[in-house]
Amino acid sequence: MADTVPHLRTEALAALAEAADDAALATWHVRYLGRKEGRLTGVLRGLAQLPVEERRAVGAAANALKAELEAAYEEQREALRRMAVRQALEGGSVDVTLPPRPRARGRLHPVTQTLRQMLDAFRSMGFSIVEGPEVELDYYNFEALRIPADHPARDMWDTLWVDDGTPRPRSLLMRTHTSPAQIRVMEQHQPPIRIVVPGRAYRHEATDTTHEWMMTQVEVLAVDEGLTLAHLKGTLLGVMQRLFGSERRIRLQCSYFPFVEPGAEVAMDCFNCAGTGCATCHQSGWIEMGGAGMVHPEILERMGIDPARYTGFAAGMGLERLAMQLYGVPDMRFFYQNDLRMLQQF
Ligand code: FA5
């Protein structure tokens, strides 16, 4: 068998010199170095049958040949490649002056861009970002937020149920807002608390230009000693001024959410017309941001936070409606149709 190694070497190198194109080169590789049926692989596999002395000598020679053939193969491949380029250049079939084909670049979705800007603003004010589950328990989405099964406020959050839809604390649903994260955070942490919760929320609603069944909300929660509505207003104003310009103003109007007292709808003056009325704000002068208020003392108490010592403020903002106005998108449904003609404009 010792004889076959030099013999194989001569034969393989001669065959390699004959391989004049990629296909021939590939055939050569399978024939001599292939893992299954390669000739040299066969020699290496046969070593086990040889007497010890011979095994050592043939093994060393075969391994050296393997390295030599691999190197020769690479060399031949490179030589063929260079030859092909030279021939193409001489034949004039490669136009080296041709500009490269442009590569399509991805971009961030306009709602993601708005979300990132908003989160950066909150982070710069000392808020931490936390997340909560999209499939939520009735308890967190409703019960713990003072919205019991028979409460009329449940109609405000038409629910997509994951199980049979019987309102029980353990029933599963697609969260209808990001507010359940307030409870999850207060269960785990004592004041001072300063967090924002970005995420998707779902509602069983007919869609139109300003309603989708899936939306992005940003929940804000701060609990500490001495917090008032003024802190809520100042925080939201600071964020909006950072996103839409330092001349922005904020308006809070009385509203009702069972988990805050008092509750408010928050709006900012239109960045396009500064409040005089235009197409962007539908002539109202104001742009809706979301709901807000002071955390209901009963909730603080249930979470083991002393309402005589601590107060909290909370807000939940809808991102799509803000992004619509920020980017001049006339219909909310355009955001999630995945039409590249729309998405490539941002
Ligand atoms: C809430 O969801 C409350 N959780 C907000 C809140 C948080 C109040 C903390 C008090 C304290 P509301 O249902 O109004 O409130 O929704 C808030 C925002 O989400 C709306 O202003 C709107 O911008 C957006 N939104 C609501 N429903 C839809 C929908 N179907 N499609 C798109 N955006 C929506």
Side-chain angles (χ1 to χ4, degrees):
M1 193 154 186
D3 274 351
T4 52
V5 174
H7 177 234
L8 194 58
R9 177 175 183 275
T10 317
E11 187 191 316
L13 290 176
L16 186 62
E18 300 277 305
D21 57 31
D22 286 348
L25 208 56
T27 311
W28 179 91
H29 197 271
V30 171
R31 184 171 171 145
Y32 292 98
L33 293 169
R35 271 211 207 135
K36 274 198 182 147
E37 288 168 17
R39 300 262 307 272
L40 187 58
T41 317
V43 173
L44 288 166
R45 247 187 233 131
L47 286 177
Q49 271 99 54
L50 295 179
V52 179
E53 281 309 305
E54 207 180 328
R55 191 187 305 163
R56 208 167 282 154
V58 176
N63 276 320
L65 179 58
K66 187 170 181 211
E68 185 184 353
L69 290 186
E70 289 284 8
Y73 167 79
E74 288 302 332
E75 214 171 279
Q76 178 75 349
R77 198 158 72 146
E78 183 55 25
L80 283 181
R81 198 191 61 79
R82 259 186 269 122
M83 200 161 72
V85 171
R86 198 169 50 239
Q87 275 171 358
L89 283 173
E90 281 166 2
S93 62
V94 173
D95 179 357
V96 290
T97 65
L98 207 61
R101 291 204 183 113
R103 283 210 190 157
R105 277 182 76 190
R107 62 199 79 208
L108 292 175
H109 192 281
V111 174
T112 307
Q113 292 184 29
T114 313
L115 177 63
R116 291 200 180 175
Q117 288 176 31
M118 188 180 275
L119 292 182
D120 279 349
F122 275 111
R123 238 189 316 241
S124 73
M125 296 171 93
F127 283 78
S128 310
I129 296 164
V130 300
E131 287 184 300
E134 289 181 23
V135 176
E136 187 51 285
L137 290 167
D138 181 305
Y139 171 75
Y140 289 105
N141 197 82
F142 291 129
E143 287 281 339
L145 289 167
R146 303 183 70 253
I147 318 173
D150 55 356
H151 196 291
R154 284 214 181 196
D155 287 348
M156 288 159 69
W157 292 282
D158 294 322
T159 312
L160 287 159
W161 294 93
V162 172
D163 55 19
D164 63 7
T166 316
R168 284 177 258 112
R170 303 292 306 166
S171 288
L172 285 174
L173 46 83
M174 300 306 292
R175 68 175 171 197
T176 58
H177 50 171
T178 44
S179 299
Q182 289 187 30
I183 303 296
R184 289 186 175 274
V185 168
M186 285 189 277
E187 270 182 352
Q188 302 285 331
H189 301 279
Q190 283 294 305
I193 294 170
R194 226 179 295 163
I195 53 112
V196 281
V197 189
R200 293 265 160 87
Y202 302 82
R203 294 196 191 169
H204 190 217
E205 280 194 276
T207 62
D208 60 28
T209 52
T210 54
H211 289 84
E212 260 289 2
W213 56 268
M214 178 188 84
M215 78 196 103
T216 314
Q217 288 194 341
V218 172
E219 193 78 12
V220 188
L221 173 70
V223 186
D224 206 342
E225 287 181 51
L227 290 184
T228 67
L229 266 181
H231 295 102
L232 165 66
K233 191 172 177 185
T235 304
L236 297 182
L237 180 64
V239 169
M240 289 301 138
Q241 286 188 338
R242 203 166 136 169
L243 260 68
F244 297 99
S246 57
E247 62 287 358
R248 288 285 65 77
R249 287 176 299 141
I250 291 269
R251 178 182 76 180
L252 269 68
Q253 279 183 314
C254 263
S255 185
Y256 175 68
F257 298 94
F259 39 97
V260 285
E261 181 55 39
E265 293 282 353
V266 192
M268 115 184 121
D269 66 331
C270 177
F271 52 83
N272 194 37
C273 64
T276 54
C278 68
T280 301
C281 56
H282 305 295
Q283 308 305 329
S284 73
W286 295 94
I287 290 179
E288 168 195 325
M289 289 165 52
M294 299 305 290
V295 179
H296 201 291
E298 202 178 292
I299 292 184
L300 292 178
E301 197 160 7
R302 277 199 223 149
M303 295 296 117
I305 298 171
D306 180 4
R309 182 171 169 203
Y310 294 106
T311 49
F313 67 75
M317 286 170 288
L319 264 274
E320 280 80 4
R321 289 190 194 163
L322 270 182
M324 276 172 81
Q325 280 158 329
L326 189 54
Y327 294 104
V329 176
D331 190 322
M332 188 177 291
R333 291 167 293 193
F334 290 164
F335 281 132
Y336 300 116
Q337 284 169 342
N338 278 338
D339 186 335
L340 286 179
R341 288 170 306 177
M342 143 89 185
L343 296 174
Q344 278 170 345
Q345 294 177 45
F346 304 98

mmCIF file of all heavy atoms in Angstrom, residues 156-157 177 179 182 203 205 210-212 215 217 219 257 259-260 265 288-293 314-318 321 332, ligand 1:
data_model
loop_
_atom_site.group_PDB
_atom_site.id
_atom_site.type_symbol
_atom_site.label_atom_id
_atom_site.label_comp_id
_atom_site.label_asym_id
_atom_site.label_seq_id
_atom_site.Cartn_x
_atom_site.Cartn_y
_atom_site.Cartn_z
ATOM 1 N N MET A 156 -65.490 50.746 26.747
ATOM 2 C CA MET A 156 -64.487 51.605 26.108
ATOM 3 C C MET A 156 -63.363 50.773 25.516
ATOM 4 O O MET A 156 -62.562 51.249 24.737
ATOM 5 C CB MET A 156 -63.877 52.558 27.156
ATOM 6 C CG MET A 156 -64.823 53.663 27.602
ATOM 7 S SD MET A 156 -64.343 54.358 29.202
ATOM 8 C CE MET A 156 -62.841 55.221 28.836
ATOM 9 N N TRP A 157 -63.239 49.546 25.951
ATOM 10 C CA TRP A 157 -62.136 48.705 25.488
ATOM 11 C C TRP A 157 -62.682 47.406 24.908
ATOM 12 O O TRP A 157 -62.539 46.344 25.512
ATOM 13 C CB TRP A 157 -61.175 48.411 26.649
ATOM 14 C CG TRP A 157 -60.447 49.631 27.092
ATOM 15 C CD1 TRP A 157 -59.383 50.202 26.470
ATOM 16 C CD2 TRP A 157 -60.720 50.442 28.239
ATOM 17 N NE1 TRP A 157 -58.988 51.326 27.162
ATOM 18 C CE2 TRP A 157 -59.779 51.497 28.249
ATOM 19 C CE3 TRP A 157 -61.662 50.385 29.254
ATOM 20 C CZ2 TRP A 157 -59.756 52.481 29.235
ATOM 21 C CZ3 TRP A 157 -61.643 51.362 30.230
ATOM 22 C CH2 TRP A 157 -60.701 52.396 30.217
ATOM 23 N N HIS A 177 -55.090 47.910 26.273
ATOM 24 C CA HIS A 177 -54.280 49.117 26.479
ATOM 25 C C HIS A 177 -53.003 48.693 27.219
ATOM 26 O O HIS A 177 -52.884 47.531 27.631
ATOM 27 C CB HIS A 177 -55.058 50.195 27.260
ATOM 28 C CG HIS A 177 -55.712 49.721 28.532
ATOM 29 N ND1 HIS A 177 -56.289 50.574 29.436
ATOM 30 C CD2 HIS A 177 -55.863 48.482 29.072
ATOM 31 C CE1 HIS A 177 -56.782 49.895 30.453
ATOM 32 N NE2 HIS A 177 -56.532 48.625 30.263
ATOM 33 N N SER A 179 -52.074 49.986 30.046
ATOM 34 C CA SER A 179 -52.222 50.279 31.479
ATOM 35 C C SER A 179 -52.019 49.078 32.417
ATOM 36 O O SER A 179 -51.594 49.282 33.558
ATOM 37 C CB SER A 179 -53.568 50.943 31.733
ATOM 38 O OG SER A 179 -53.643 52.157 31.019
ATOM 39 N N GLN A 182 -48.966 49.060 34.491
ATOM 40 C CA GLN A 182 -48.872 49.858 35.726
ATOM 41 C C GLN A 182 -48.970 48.945 36.944
ATOM 42 O O GLN A 182 -48.181 49.045 37.883
ATOM 43 C CB GLN A 182 -50.054 50.835 35.822
ATOM 44 C CG GLN A 182 -50.043 51.989 34.863
ATOM 45 C CD GLN A 182 -51.199 52.941 35.210
ATOM 46 O OE1 GLN A 182 -51.602 53.066 36.350
ATOM 47 N NE2 GLN A 182 -51.731 53.611 34.199
ATOM 48 N N ARG A 203 -57.910 46.015 19.938
ATOM 49 C CA ARG A 203 -59.328 46.248 20.242
ATOM 50 C C ARG A 203 -60.206 45.685 19.143
ATOM 51 O O ARG A 203 -59.873 45.781 17.957
ATOM 52 C CB ARG A 203 -59.601 47.741 20.412
ATOM 53 C CG ARG A 203 -58.878 48.251 21.627
ATOM 54 C CD ARG A 203 -59.361 49.577 22.106
ATOM 55 N NE ARG A 203 -58.419 50.059 23.111
ATOM 56 C CZ ARG A 203 -58.404 51.278 23.592
ATOM 57 N NH1 ARG A 203 -59.289 52.155 23.169
ATOM 58 N NH2 ARG A 203 -57.522 51.640 24.496
ATOM 59 N N GLU A 205 -62.573 46.356 17.084
ATOM 60 C CA GLU A 205 -63.225 47.571 16.590
ATOM 61 C C GLU A 205 -63.310 47.547 15.080
ATOM 62 O O GLU A 205 -62.451 46.949 14.426
ATOM 63 C CB GLU A 205 -62.377 48.806 16.965
ATOM 64 C CG GLU A 205 -62.562 49.246 18.385
ATOM 65 C CD GLU A 205 -62.006 50.636 18.616
ATOM 66 O OE1 GLU A 205 -60.792 50.755 18.856
ATOM 67 O OE2 GLU A 205 -62.784 51.586 18.563
ATOM 68 N N THR A 210 -59.061 56.570 11.515
ATOM 69 C CA THR A 210 -58.353 56.828 12.778
ATOM 70 C C THR A 210 -58.479 55.679 13.779
ATOM 71 O O THR A 210 -58.132 55.827 14.946
ATOM 72 C CB THR A 210 -58.867 58.123 13.449
ATOM 73 O OG1 THR A 210 -60.290 58.021 13.576
ATOM 74 C CG2 THR A 210 -58.501 59.355 12.653
ATOM 75 N N HIS A 211 -59.000 54.528 13.344
ATOM 76 C CA HIS A 211 -59.120 53.368 14.235
ATOM 77 C C HIS A 211 -58.555 52.124 13.568
ATOM 78 O O HIS A 211 -58.894 51.826 12.427
ATOM 79 C CB HIS A 211 -60.585 53.081 14.586
ATOM 80 C CG HIS A 211 -61.176 54.111 15.494
ATOM 81 N ND1 HIS A 211 -61.701 55.280 15.038
ATOM 82 C CD2 HIS A 211 -61.295 54.138 16.847
ATOM 83 C CE1 HIS A 211 -62.136 55.991 16.073
ATOM 84 N NE2 HIS A 211 -61.893 55.334 17.180
ATOM 85 N N GLU A 212 -57.718 51.418 14.308
ATOM 86 C CA GLU A 212 -57.221 50.121 13.859
ATOM 87 C C GLU A 212 -57.533 49.127 14.958
ATOM 88 O O GLU A 212 -57.760 49.509 16.108
ATOM 89 C CB GLU A 212 -55.696 50.177 13.658
ATOM 90 C CG GLU A 212 -55.256 50.352 12.217
ATOM 91 C CD GLU A 212 -55.486 49.124 11.350
ATOM 92 O OE1 GLU A 212 -56.028 48.108 11.833
ATOM 93 O OE2 GLU A 212 -55.125 49.195 10.161
ATOM 94 N N MET A 215 -52.892 48.714 17.775
ATOM 95 C CA MET A 215 -52.259 50.035 17.837
ATOM 96 C C MET A 215 -51.058 49.985 18.773
ATOM 97 O O MET A 215 -50.888 49.025 19.516
ATOM 98 C CB MET A 215 -53.265 51.062 18.338
ATOM 99 C CG MET A 215 -53.428 50.960 19.841
ATOM 100 S SD MET A 215 -54.856 51.755 20.504
ATOM 101 C CE MET A 215 -55.927 50.379 20.798
ATOM 102 N N GLN A 217 -49.182 51.815 21.920
ATOM 103 C CA GLN A 217 -49.360 52.810 22.991
ATOM 104 C C GLN A 217 -48.061 52.962 23.773
ATOM 105 O O GLN A 217 -47.200 52.081 23.762
ATOM 106 C CB GLN A 217 -50.463 52.360 23.963
ATOM 107 C CG GLN A 217 -51.865 52.455 23.376
ATOM 108 C CD GLN A 217 -52.956 52.349 24.444
ATOM 109 O OE1 GLN A 217 -52.724 51.868 25.551
ATOM 110 N NE2 GLN A 217 -54.152 52.802 24.096
ATOM 111 N N GLU A 219 -47.290 53.827 27.710
ATOM 112 C CA GLU A 219 -47.830 54.079 29.045
ATOM 113 C C GLU A 219 -46.770 54.803 29.863
ATOM 114 O O GLU A 219 -45.572 54.505 29.749
ATOM 115 C CB GLU A 219 -48.152 52.724 29.700
ATOM 116 C CG GLU A 219 -48.989 52.821 30.936
ATOM 117 C CD GLU A 219 -50.465 53.061 30.591
ATOM 118 O OE1 GLU A 219 -50.842 52.922 29.431
ATOM 119 O OE2 GLU A 219 -51.224 53.418 31.514
ATOM 120 N N PHE A 257 -61.438 57.782 33.482
ATOM 121 C CA PHE A 257 -60.853 56.444 33.407
ATOM 122 C C PHE A 257 -60.905 55.907 34.844
ATOM 123 O O PHE A 257 -60.458 56.617 35.769
ATOM 124 C CB PHE A 257 -59.389 56.497 32.940
ATOM 125 C CG PHE A 257 -59.217 57.061 31.556
ATOM 126 C CD1 PHE A 257 -58.950 58.419 31.373
ATOM 127 C CD2 PHE A 257 -59.319 56.257 30.427
ATOM 128 C CE1 PHE A 257 -58.793 58.955 30.106
ATOM 129 C CE2 PHE A 257 -59.158 56.786 29.151
ATOM 130 C CZ PHE A 257 -58.904 58.141 28.983
ATOM 131 N N PHE A 259 -59.231 54.109 36.653
ATOM 132 C CA PHE A 259 -57.995 53.891 37.424
ATOM 133 C C PHE A 259 -57.246 55.176 37.744
ATOM 134 O O PHE A 259 -56.146 55.133 38.292
ATOM 135 C CB PHE A 259 -57.067 52.901 36.694
ATOM 136 C CG PHE A 259 -57.044 53.079 35.200
ATOM 137 C CD1 PHE A 259 -56.041 53.818 34.599
ATOM 138 C CD2 PHE A 259 -58.015 52.504 34.398
ATOM 139 C CE1 PHE A 259 -56.015 53.979 33.216
ATOM 140 C CE2 PHE A 259 -58.010 52.671 33.021
ATOM 141 C CZ PHE A 259 -57.010 53.407 32.429
ATOM 142 N N VAL A 260 -57.827 56.324 37.358
ATOM 143 C CA VAL A 260 -57.195 57.599 37.735
ATOM 144 C C VAL A 260 -58.240 58.539 38.325
ATOM 145 O O VAL A 260 -59.427 58.434 38.025
ATOM 146 C CB VAL A 260 -56.513 58.294 36.521
ATOM 147 C CG1 VAL A 260 -55.214 57.610 36.153
ATOM 148 C CG2 VAL A 260 -57.448 58.376 35.330
ATOM 149 N N GLU A 265 -58.215 63.878 29.188
ATOM 150 C CA GLU A 265 -57.768 63.653 27.806
ATOM 151 C C GLU A 265 -56.673 64.673 27.558
ATOM 152 O O GLU A 265 -56.830 65.832 27.925
ATOM 153 C CB GLU A 265 -58.899 63.928 26.806
ATOM 154 C CG GLU A 265 -60.061 62.980 26.852
ATOM 155 C CD GLU A 265 -59.771 61.654 26.170
ATOM 156 O OE1 GLU A 265 -58.689 61.532 25.545
ATOM 157 O OE2 GLU A 265 -60.604 60.747 26.306
ATOM 158 N N GLU A 288 -54.826 65.070 19.350
ATOM 159 C CA GLU A 288 -55.071 64.139 20.465
ATOM 160 C C GLU A 288 -53.820 63.315 20.770
ATOM 161 O O GLU A 288 -53.148 62.831 19.881
ATOM 162 C CB GLU A 288 -56.210 63.207 20.042
ATOM 163 C CG GLU A 288 -56.379 62.021 20.954
ATOM 164 C CD GLU A 288 -57.257 60.938 20.317
ATOM 165 O OE1 GLU A 288 -58.207 61.271 19.593
ATOM 166 O OE2 GLU A 288 -56.966 59.756 20.573
ATOM 167 N N MET A 289 -53.509 63.203 22.063
ATOM 168 C CA MET A 289 -52.358 62.367 22.448
ATOM 169 C C MET A 289 -52.791 61.107 23.172
ATOM 170 O O MET A 289 -52.258 60.036 22.937
ATOM 171 C CB MET A 289 -51.437 63.170 23.372
ATOM 172 C CG MET A 289 -50.695 64.290 22.654
ATOM 173 S SD MET A 289 -49.982 65.445 23.836
ATOM 174 C CE MET A 289 -49.094 64.364 24.923
ATOM 175 N N GLY A 290 -53.740 61.213 24.100
ATOM 176 C CA GLY A 290 -54.176 60.033 24.842
ATOM 177 C C GLY A 290 -54.857 60.403 26.138
ATOM 178 O O GLY A 290 -55.260 61.545 26.341
ATOM 179 N N GLY A 291 -54.975 59.396 27.029
ATOM 180 C CA GLY A 291 -55.607 59.610 28.323
ATOM 181 C C GLY A 291 -54.552 59.748 29.408
ATOM 182 O O GLY A 291 -53.413 59.316 29.235
ATOM 183 N N ALA A 292 -54.951 60.350 30.547
ATOM 184 C CA ALA A 292 -53.983 60.550 31.632
ATOM 185 C C ALA A 292 -54.726 60.828 32.935
ATOM 186 O O ALA A 292 -55.956 60.908 32.963
ATOM 187 C CB ALA A 292 -53.055 61.721 31.296
ATOM 188 N N GLY A 293 -53.983 60.958 34.016
ATOM 189 C CA GLY A 293 -54.590 61.316 35.290
ATOM 190 C C GLY A 293 -53.696 60.967 36.462
ATOM 191 O O GLY A 293 -52.559 60.518 36.275
ATOM 192 N N ALA A 314 -50.243 59.034 35.710
ATOM 193 C CA ALA A 314 -50.151 58.035 34.635
ATOM 194 C C ALA A 314 -50.716 58.626 33.356
ATOM 195 O O ALA A 314 -51.551 59.533 33.399
ATOM 196 C CB ALA A 314 -50.927 56.785 35.019
ATOM 197 N N ALA A 315 -50.230 58.107 32.229
ATOM 198 C CA ALA A 315 -50.774 58.517 30.935
ATOM 199 C C ALA A 315 -50.623 57.365 29.965
ATOM 200 O O ALA A 315 -49.769 56.491 30.148
ATOM 201 C CB ALA A 315 -50.030 59.748 30.403
ATOM 202 N N GLY A 316 -51.478 57.325 28.953
ATOM 203 C CA GLY A 316 -51.366 56.311 27.899
ATOM 204 C C GLY A 316 -51.591 56.996 26.570
ATOM 205 O O GLY A 316 -52.650 57.562 26.328
ATOM 206 N N MET A 317 -50.545 56.972 25.732
ATOM 207 C CA MET A 317 -50.643 57.725 24.476
ATOM 208 C C MET A 317 -50.689 56.800 23.269
ATOM 209 O O MET A 317 -50.020 55.768 23.251
ATOM 210 C CB MET A 317 -49.452 58.673 24.358
ATOM 211 C CG MET A 317 -49.623 59.852 25.296
ATOM 212 S SD MET A 317 -48.153 60.838 25.418
ATOM 213 C CE MET A 317 -47.102 59.790 26.357
ATOM 214 N N GLY A 318 -51.467 57.183 22.264
ATOM 215 C CA GLY A 318 -51.562 56.401 21.030
ATOM 216 C C GLY A 318 -50.554 56.929 20.018
ATOM 217 O O GLY A 318 -50.581 58.104 19.677
ATOM 218 N N ARG A 321 -51.785 57.759 15.852
ATOM 219 C CA ARG A 321 -52.434 59.050 15.536
ATOM 220 C C ARG A 321 -51.411 60.178 15.543
ATOM 221 O O ARG A 321 -51.489 61.098 14.729
ATOM 222 C CB ARG A 321 -53.574 59.318 16.518
ATOM 223 C CG ARG A 321 -54.741 58.366 16.256
ATOM 224 C CD ARG A 321 -55.984 58.718 17.003
ATOM 225 N NE ARG A 321 -56.905 57.568 16.948
ATOM 226 C CZ ARG A 321 -57.938 57.409 17.745
ATOM 227 N NH1 ARG A 321 -58.219 58.306 18.667
ATOM 228 N NH2 ARG A 321 -58.714 56.347 17.631
ATOM 229 N N MET A 332 -54.996 55.785 8.943
ATOM 230 C CA MET A 332 -54.208 54.923 9.831
ATOM 231 C C MET A 332 -53.967 53.534 9.236
ATOM 232 O O MET A 332 -52.954 52.898 9.489
ATOM 233 C CB MET A 332 -54.932 54.780 11.173
ATOM 234 C CG MET A 332 -54.128 54.073 12.222
ATOM 235 S SD MET A 332 -54.981 54.006 13.784
ATOM 236 C CE MET A 332 -54.941 55.709 14.285
HETATM 237 C C1 FA5 B 1 -56.559 54.264 27.238
HETATM 238 O O1 FA5 B 1 -56.245 53.305 26.531
HETATM 239 C C2 FA5 B 1 -56.072 54.422 28.638
HETATM 240 N N1 FA5 B 1 -55.376 53.235 29.041
HETATM 241 C C3 FA5 B 1 -55.148 55.653 28.709
HETATM 242 C C4 FA5 B 1 -54.793 56.074 30.111
HETATM 243 C C5 FA5 B 1 -53.584 55.641 30.659
HETATM 244 C C6 FA5 B 1 -55.653 56.872 30.844
HETATM 245 C C7 FA5 B 1 -53.230 56.049 31.932
HETATM 246 C C8 FA5 B 1 -55.312 57.255 32.129
HETATM 247 C C9 FA5 B 1 -54.107 56.855 32.676
HETATM 248 P P1 FA5 B 1 -57.912 55.447 25.323
HETATM 249 O O2 FA5 B 1 -58.860 54.332 25.082
HETATM 250 O O3 FA5 B 1 -58.435 56.823 25.209
HETATM 251 O O4 FA5 B 1 -57.261 55.312 26.793
HETATM 252 O O5 FA5 B 1 -56.678 55.260 24.330
HETATM 253 C C10 FA5 B 1 -55.533 56.065 24.417
HETATM 254 C C11 FA5 B 1 -55.055 56.460 23.032
HETATM 255 O O6 FA5 B 1 -54.851 55.295 22.246
HETATM 256 C C12 FA5 B 1 -56.066 57.273 22.240
HETATM 257 O O7 FA5 B 1 -55.948 58.640 22.523
HETATM 258 C C13 FA5 B 1 -55.646 56.980 20.815
HETATM 259 O O8 FA5 B 1 -54.565 57.786 20.426
HETATM 260 C C14 FA5 B 1 -55.186 55.578 20.901
HETATM 261 N N2 FA5 B 1 -56.233 54.656 20.442
HETATM 262 C C15 FA5 B 1 -57.295 54.174 21.125
HETATM 263 N N3 FA5 B 1 -58.028 53.345 20.374
HETATM 264 C C16 FA5 B 1 -57.446 53.289 19.175
HETATM 265 C C17 FA5 B 1 -57.685 52.588 17.956
HETATM 266 N N4 FA5 B 1 -58.720 51.754 17.812
HETATM 267 N N5 FA5 B 1 -56.825 52.761 16.913
HETATM 268 C C18 FA5 B 1 -55.770 53.579 17.052
HETATM 269 N N6 FA5 B 1 -55.469 54.262 18.159
HETATM 270 C C19 FA5 B 1 -56.271 54.126 19.217
#
